[in-house]
Amino acid sequence: MTDLPKTAPHNPRIRPAAIVVLLLTIVLTGFLLALGTWQVQRLSWKLDLIERVEGRAHAAPVDAPAASEWPALTDPAEYEYRRVKLSGTFLNDRQVQVYTVSDLGPGYWVMTPLRRDDGSSIIVNRGFVPSDKRDPSSRQEGDLAGRVEIVGLMRTPETGGLFLRTNDPANGRWYSRNIPQISQASGLSNVAPFYVDADATPNPGGLPVGGKTMLTFPNNHLSYAITWYILAAMVVAAGWYVLRNLNAPKSKRDAE
């Protein structure tokens, strides 16, 4: 019987291009999965923030921190949006107006120091006035005289940033609620390292309009996470399709 010639076994070779595609698929998939997981973590953080803010903002007001407690206020997350009450006398002649655009249109926040009985001061954001009422002489009724009691929310000072213009204290142009700068420009000392947004209690003459603290926070983290995970799945599917074609026999690739 004649022996048939033996056929050499077929050893499929992995093409260099396939290795590149595989590596790219792994890297991109890992990157997208990491982004999705990060958004899930951000979602948890945001939900906790919303719950914490809601709880503080609608709680019964407590006394604003005394001056002796100010050095301990190093973490804004521990006190911001806490509902507080404070009393004293407004230093209306030292107020500054910070430009803003609110749901009432363009205008200014009226930032007025409140001098307390112990000599310390807390700057109060008394609320919004439209641009044509920036000058205090146009709304004298709202400049409360004598001893007052204020209820509001503790806020962290603004320090400027990407979307805020730089304050120009020399020319009275304010764009951020930077408490150290306002205190210095107003000639104040012993000022709280936070400010207080006054609540919606009406002021004489209707201005300033208080209670304008933004308590809604955008929460799109779940949709972002889903998007990143879907993109990761698409990268895996695309990578598999390309690898399948790269490693297929030449005749099969030509047929496709």
Side-chain angles (χ1 to χ4, degrees), residues 147-168:
R147 187 175 181 80
V148 297
E149 293 188 355
I150 300 296
V151 174
L153 304 179
M154 292 177 65
R155 299 296 309 278
T156 305
E158 297 171 342
T159 57
L162 183 62
F163 301 106
L164 291 175
R165 296 167 62 183
T166 302
N167 289 330
D168 183 7

Side-chain angles (χ1 to χ4, degrees), residues 35-47:
L35 286 176
T37 302
W38 176 63
Q39 287 296 334
V40 170
Q41 294 170 346
R42 292 283 294 173
L43 172 63
S44 177
W45 169 83
K46 182 62 68 67
L47 292 175

